[in-house]
Amino acid sequence: MTWLLRTLDSWGCFATTHRLGRMLRRGWFLFAALGAIWGTPYMFIRIAVEHLTPAVVVTGRMSIAVLLLLPAAAKHHLPTVWRHHRKAIIAFAAAEMVFPFGALAIAERRISSSLAGLLIAGVPLVTALLLRRSGHADQWDRR
């Protein structure tokens, strides 16, 4: 949370009277925009799973991502990276995108979109707690 406050502060979103003082209109606007951008996909997923199967929703999301990112990948000569690290890239995509998107689409049929958004927002906190509990080498500090 502190990193978010520092970032907003560096963008000039807080009053200059003290370091993390009251938020200015620009800060509230950016905060509202972030909420709208973050929440909109859950609304569309909710609508999509009413008419399509979760597998079709996941395939559609991944296809759109591929179409949007493929030109950038080709421009930066990433086919060479693909050739050398294909298995790792596929494993990462399955673990970080395909499985969670599928789980989200299935969950959207049983729980509200707002609850799904809150659960996903809690993932970094749970991950941090699990890392702390496992004795991971990272040190906790105020950053």
Side-chain angles (χ1 to χ4, degrees):
M1 181 74 164
T2 304
W3 67 268
L4 176 62
L5 294 175
R6 285 187 182 148
T7 302
L8 289 173
D9 189 34
S10 71
W11 290 348
C13 298
F14 294 104
T16 56
T17 54
H18 38 52
R19 197 168 145 247
L20 296 177
R22 296 175 2 148
M23 280 190 10
L24 300 175
R25 282 189 203 141
R26 180 171 183 241
W28 284 112
F29 173 77
L30 290 171
F31 184 68
L34 176 68
I37 292 167
W38 186 271
T40 302
Y42 300 104
M43 177 186 69
F44 287 124
I45 291 169
R46 177 57 138 199
I47 293 168
V49 296
E50 289 177 4
H51 305 287
L52 304 168
T53 66
V56 173
V57 173
V58 172
T59 303
R61 286 184 77 183
M62 297 303 294
S63 299
I64 291 169
V66 166
L67 290 174
L68 290 173
L69 295 174
L70 202 55
K75 180 181 177 184
H76 293 288
H77 308 290
L78 293 180
T80 305
V81 174
W82 170 256
R83 262 191 307 264
H84 296 296
H85 303 287
R86 181 177 309 154
K87 290 180 184 177
I89 293 171
I90 291 171
F92 176 79
E96 293 292 326
M97 290 173 257
V98 176
F99 176 73
F101 288 174
L104 177 62
I106 292 168
E108 285 280 351
R109 291 181 162 214
R110 294 176 176 80
I111 61 174
S112 69
S113 294
S114 57
L115 179 58
L118 287 171
L119 291 172
I120 288 176
V123 168
L125 297 173
V126 171
T127 303
L129 291 173
L130 288 174
L131 282 174
R132 175 77 170 179
R133 181 119 169 114
S134 70
H136 196 267
D138 282 347
Q139 296 294 318
W140 288 51
D141 57 17
R142 300 190 95 199
R143 289 182 285 150

Coordinates of all heavy atoms in Angstrom, one line a residue, residues 2-47:
T2 N 2.0 1.2 0.7 CA 2.9 2.4 0.8 C 3.4 2.7 -0.6 O 3.5 3.9 -1.0 CB 4.0 2.1 1.7 OG1 3.5 1.7 3.0 CG2 4.9 3.3 1.9
W3 N 3.7 1.7 -1.4 CA 4.2 2.0 -2.8 C 3.2 2.7 -3.6 O 3.5 3.6 -4.4 CB 4.7 0.7 -3.5 CG 3.6 -0.2 -3.8 CD1 3.2 -1.2 -3.0 CD2 2.8 -0.2 -5.0 NE1 2.1 -1.9 -3.6 CE2 1.8 -1.2 -4.8 CE3 2.7 0.6 -6.1 CZ2 0.9 -1.5 -5.8 CZ3 1.7 0.3 -7.0 CH2 0.8 -0.7 -6.9
L4 N 1.9 2.4 -3.4 CA 0.8 3.1 -4.1 C 0.8 4.5 -3.7 O 0.7 5.4 -4.6 CB -0.5 2.4 -3.9 CG -1.7 3.0 -4.5 CD1 -1.6 3.0 -6.0 CD2 -3.0 2.3 -4.1
L5 N 0.8 4.8 -2.4 CA 0.8 6.1 -1.9 C 2.0 7.0 -2.4 O 1.9 8.1 -2.8 CB 0.8 6.2 -0.4 CG -0.5 5.6 0.2 CD1 -0.4 5.5 1.7 CD2 -1.7 6.3 -0.2
R6 N 3.2 6.3 -2.4 CA 4.4 7.0 -2.9 C 4.2 7.3 -4.4 O 4.6 8.4 -4.9 CB 5.6 6.2 -2.7 CG 6.0 6.2 -1.2 CD 7.3 5.6 -1.0 NE 7.7 5.6 0.4 CZ 8.3 4.6 1.0 NH1 8.8 3.6 0.3 NH2 8.6 4.7 2.3
T7 N 3.7 6.4 -5.2 CA 3.5 6.6 -6.6 C 2.5 7.7 -6.8 O 2.8 8.6 -7.7 CB 3.0 5.3 -7.3 OG1 4.0 4.3 -7.0 CG2 2.8 5.5 -8.8
L8 N 1.4 7.7 -6.2 CA 0.4 8.8 -6.3 C 1.0 10.1 -5.9 O 0.8 11.1 -6.5 CB -0.8 8.5 -5.5 CG -1.7 7.4 -6.0 CD1 -2.8 7.1 -5.0 CD2 -2.3 7.7 -7.4
D9 N 1.8 10.1 -4.8 CA 2.5 11.3 -4.4 C 3.5 11.8 -5.4 O 3.5 13.0 -5.7 CB 3.2 11.0 -3.1 CG 3.8 12.3 -2.4 OD1 3.1 13.4 -2.5 OD2 4.8 12.2 -1.8
S10 N 4.2 10.9 -6.1 CA 5.2 11.4 -7.1 C 4.5 11.9 -8.3 O 5.0 12.7 -9.1 CB 6.1 10.2 -7.5 OG 5.4 9.2 -8.3
W11 N 3.2 11.5 -8.6 CA 2.4 12.1 -9.7 C 1.8 13.4 -9.3 O 1.1 14.0 -10.1 CB 1.4 11.1 -10.1 CG 1.9 9.9 -10.8 CD1 3.1 9.6 -11.3 CD2 1.1 8.7 -11.1 NE1 3.2 8.4 -11.8 CE2 2.0 7.8 -11.7 CE3 -0.2 8.3 -10.8 CZ2 1.6 6.5 -12.1 CZ3 -0.6 7.1 -11.2 CH2 0.3 6.2 -11.9
G12 N 2.0 13.8 -8.1 CA 1.4 15.1 -7.7 C -0.1 15.0 -7.3 O -0.8 15.9 -7.4
C13 N -0.5 13.8 -6.8 CA -1.9 13.6 -6.5 C -2.2 14.1 -5.1 O -3.4 14.1 -4.7 CB -2.2 12.1 -6.6 SG -2.0 11.5 -8.3
F14 N -1.2 14.4 -4.3 CA -1.5 14.8 -2.9 C -1.1 16.2 -2.7 O -0.3 16.8 -3.4 CB -0.7 13.9 -1.9 CG -1.1 12.5 -1.9 CD1 -0.3 11.5 -2.5 CD2 -2.2 12.1 -1.2 CE1 -0.6 10.2 -2.5 CE2 -2.6 10.8 -1.2 CZ -1.8 9.8 -1.8
A15 N -1.8 16.9 -1.8 CA -1.5 18.3 -1.5 C 0.0 18.4 -1.1 O 0.5 17.4 -0.5 CB -2.4 18.8 -0.4
T16 N 0.6 19.5 -1.3 CA 2.0 19.6 -1.0 C 2.3 20.1 0.4 O 3.4 20.3 0.8 CB 2.6 20.7 -2.0 OG1 1.9 21.9 -1.9 CG2 2.6 20.1 -3.4
T17 N 1.2 20.3 1.2 CA 1.4 20.7 2.6 C 2.2 19.7 3.4 O 3.0 20.0 4.2 CB 0.1 21.1 3.2 OG1 -0.8 19.9 3.1 CG2 -0.5 22.3 2.6
H18 N 1.9 18.4 3.3 CA 2.7 17.4 3.9 C 2.7 16.2 3.0 O 2.0 16.1 2.0 CB 2.3 17.0 5.3 CG 0.8 17.0 5.6 ND1 -0.1 16.3 4.9 CD2 0.1 17.5 6.6 CE1 -1.3 16.4 5.4 NE2 -1.2 17.2 6.5
R19 N 3.7 15.3 3.2 CA 4.1 14.3 2.3 C 2.9 13.4 1.8 O 2.8 13.3 0.6 CB 5.1 13.4 3.0 CG 5.9 12.6 2.0 CD 7.1 11.9 2.7 NE 7.2 10.7 2.1 CZ 7.0 9.5 2.7 NH1 6.8 9.4 3.9 NH2 7.1 8.4 2.0
L20 N 2.2 12.9 2.6 CA 1.0 12.1 2.2 C -0.3 12.7 2.8 O -1.0 12.1 3.5 CB 1.2 10.6 2.7 CG 2.4 9.9 2.1 CD1 2.5 8.5 2.7 CD2 2.3 9.8 0.6
G21 N -0.5 13.9 2.4 CA -1.6 14.7 2.9 C -2.9 14.3 2.2 O -3.1 13.2 1.7
R22 N -3.8 15.3 2.0 CA -5.1 15.1 1.4 C -4.9 14.9 -0.1 O -4.0 15.6 -0.7 CB -6.0 16.3 1.7 CG -6.3 16.4 3.1 CD -7.1 17.7 3.4 NE -7.4 18.4 2.2 CZ -8.5 19.1 2.0 NH1 -9.4 19.2 3.0 NH2 -8.7 19.8 0.9
M23 N -5.7 14.1 -0.7 CA -5.6 13.9 -2.1 C -6.3 15.1 -2.9 O -7.3 15.6 -2.5 CB -6.3 12.6 -2.6 CG -5.4 11.4 -2.3 SD -5.9 9.8 -3.0 CE -7.2 10.0 -4.0
L24 N -5.7 15.4 -4.0 CA -6.2 16.5 -4.9 C -7.2 15.9 -5.8 O -7.4 14.6 -5.9 CB -5.1 17.1 -5.7 CG -4.0 17.8 -4.8 CD1 -2.9 18.3 -5.8 CD2 -4.5 19.0 -4.1
R25 N -7.9 16.7 -6.6 CA -8.9 16.2 -7.5 C -8.3 15.2 -8.5 O -8.9 14.2 -8.9 CB -9.5 17.4 -8.3 CG -10.5 18.1 -7.5 CD -11.3 19.1 -8.4 NE -11.8 20.1 -7.5 CZ -11.9 21.4 -7.8 NH1 -11.4 21.8 -8.9 NH2 -12.4 22.2 -6.9
R26 N -7.1 15.6 -9.0 CA -6.4 14.7 -9.9 C -6.2 13.3 -9.3 O -6.3 12.3 -10.0 CB -5.0 15.3 -10.3 CG -4.3 14.4 -11.3 CD -3.1 15.2 -11.8 NE -2.4 14.4 -12.8 CZ -1.2 13.9 -12.7 NH1 -0.4 14.3 -11.6 NH2 -0.6 13.2 -13.6
G27 N -5.8 13.2 -8.1 CA -5.6 11.9 -7.4 C -6.9 11.2 -7.3 O -6.9 9.9 -7.6
W28 N -8.0 11.8 -7.0 CA -9.3 11.1 -6.9 C -9.7 10.7 -8.3 O -10.3 9.6 -8.5 CB -10.4 12.0 -6.3 CG -10.3 12.2 -4.9 CD1 -9.9 13.3 -4.2 CD2 -10.5 11.1 -3.9 NE1 -9.9 13.0 -2.8 CE2 -10.2 11.6 -2.6 CE3 -10.8 9.8 -4.0 CZ2 -10.3 10.9 -1.5 CZ3 -10.9 9.0 -2.8 CH2 -10.7 9.6 -1.6
F29 N -9.4 11.5 -9.3 CA -9.8 11.1 -10.7 C -9.0 9.8 -11.1 O -9.5 8.9 -11.7 CB -9.5 12.2 -11.7 CG -9.6 11.8 -13.1 CD1 -10.9 11.7 -13.7 CD2 -8.5 11.5 -13.9 CE1 -11.0 11.3 -15.0 CE2 -8.6 11.1 -15.2 CZ -9.9 11.0 -15.8
L30 N -7.7 9.8 -10.8 CA -6.8 8.7 -11.1 C -7.3 7.4 -10.4 O -7.3 6.3 -10.9 CB -5.4 9.0 -10.9 CG -4.7 10.0 -11.8 CD1 -3.3 10.3 -11.3 CD2 -4.6 9.4 -13.2
F31 N -7.7 7.6 -9.1 CA -8.2 6.5 -8.3 C -9.5 5.9 -8.9 O -9.6 4.7 -9.0 CB -8.4 7.0 -6.9 CG -8.8 5.9 -5.9 CD1 -7.9 4.9 -5.6 CD2 -10.0 5.9 -5.3 CE1 -8.2 3.9 -4.7 CE2 -10.4 4.9 -4.5 CZ -9.5 3.9 -4.1
A32 N -10.4 6.8 -9.3 CA -11.6 6.4 -9.9 C -11.4 5.7 -11.2 O -12.0 4.7 -11.5 CB -12.6 7.6 -10.0
A33 N -10.5 6.2 -12.0 CA -10.2 5.6 -13.3 C -9.6 4.2 -13.1 O -9.9 3.3 -13.8 CB -9.2 6.5 -14.1
L34 N -8.7 4.1 -12.1 CA -8.1 2.8 -11.8 C -9.2 1.8 -11.4 O -9.2 0.6 -11.9 CB -7.1 2.9 -10.7 CG -6.5 1.6 -10.2 CD1 -5.6 1.0 -11.3 CD2 -5.7 1.8 -9.0
G35 N -10.1 2.2 -10.6 CA -11.3 1.4 -10.2 C -12.1 0.9 -11.4 O -12.5 -0.2 -11.5
A36 N -12.4 1.9 -12.3 CA -13.2 1.5 -13.5 C -12.5 0.6 -14.4 O -13.0 -0.4 -14.9 CB -13.6 2.8 -14.2
I37 N -11.2 0.9 -14.6 CA -10.4 0.0 -15.5 C -10.2 -1.4 -14.9 O -10.3 -2.4 -15.6 CB -9.0 0.6 -15.8 CG1 -9.2 1.9 -16.6 CG2 -8.0 -0.4 -16.4 CD1 -7.9 2.7 -16.7
W38 N -10.0 -1.5 -13.6 CA -9.9 -2.7 -12.9 C -11.2 -3.5 -12.9 O -11.2 -4.8 -13.0 CB -9.4 -2.5 -11.5 CG -9.0 -3.7 -10.7 CD1 -9.9 -4.5 -10.0 CD2 -7.8 -4.4 -10.7 NE1 -9.2 -5.6 -9.4 CE2 -7.9 -5.5 -9.8 CE3 -6.5 -4.1 -11.2 CZ2 -6.9 -6.4 -9.6 CZ3 -5.5 -5.0 -10.9 CH2 -5.7 -6.1 -10.1
G39 N -12.3 -2.9 -12.7 CA -13.6 -3.6 -12.5 C -14.3 -3.9 -13.7 O -15.1 -4.9 -13.7
T40 N -14.1 -3.2 -14.8 CA -14.8 -3.5 -16.1 C -14.7 -4.9 -16.6 O -15.7 -5.5 -17.0 CB -14.4 -2.5 -17.1 OG1 -14.6 -1.1 -16.6 CG2 -15.1 -2.6 -18.4
P41 N -13.5 -5.5 -16.6 CA -13.4 -6.9 -17.1 C -14.3 -7.9 -16.3 O -14.9 -8.8 -16.9 CB -11.9 -7.3 -16.9 CG -11.2 -6.0 -16.9 CD -12.2 -5.0 -16.3
Y42 N -14.5 -7.7 -15.0 CA -15.3 -8.6 -14.3 C -16.8 -8.5 -14.7 O -17.5 -9.5 -14.8 CB -15.2 -8.3 -12.8 CG -13.8 -8.5 -12.3 CD1 -13.0 -7.4 -12.0 CD2 -13.3 -9.8 -12.2 CE1 -11.7 -7.6 -11.6 CE2 -11.9 -10.0 -11.8 CZ -11.2 -8.9 -11.5 OH -9.9 -9.1 -11.2
M43 N -17.2 -7.3 -15.0 CA -18.6 -7.1 -15.5 C -18.8 -7.8 -16.9 O -19.7 -8.6 -17.1 CB -18.9 -5.6 -15.7 CG -20.3 -5.4 -16.3 SD -20.6 -3.6 -16.7 CE -19.4 -3.4 -18.1
F44 N -17.8 -7.7 -17.8 CA -17.9 -8.4 -19.1 C -17.8 -9.9 -18.9 O -18.4 -10.6 -19.7 CB -16.8 -7.8 -20.0 CG -17.2 -6.4 -20.5 CD1 -16.3 -5.4 -20.4 CD2 -18.4 -6.2 -21.1 CE1 -16.6 -4.1 -20.8 CE2 -18.7 -4.9 -21.6 CZ -17.8 -3.9 -21.4
I45 N -16.9 -10.3 -18.0 CA -16.8 -11.8 -17.8 C -18.2 -12.3 -17.3 O -18.6 -13.4 -17.7 CB -15.7 -12.1 -16.8 CG1 -14.3 -11.8 -17.5 CG2 -15.7 -13.6 -16.4 CD1 -13.2 -11.8 -16.5
R46 N -18.8 -11.6 -16.4 CA -20.1 -12.0 -15.9 C -21.1 -12.1 -17.0 O -21.9 -13.1 -17.0 CB -20.5 -11.0 -14.8 CG -21.9 -11.3 -14.2 CD -21.9 -12.7 -13.6 NE -22.6 -12.6 -12.4 CZ -22.5 -13.5 -11.5 NH1 -21.7 -14.6 -11.7 NH2 -23.2 -13.5 -10.4
I47 N -21.1 -11.1 -17.9 CA -22.1 -11.2 -19.0 C -21.7 -12.3 -19.9 O -22.6 -13.1 -20.4 CB -22.0 -9.8 -19.8 CG1 -22.6 -8.7 -18.9 CG2 -22.8 -9.9 -21.1 CD1 -22.4 -7.3 -19.4

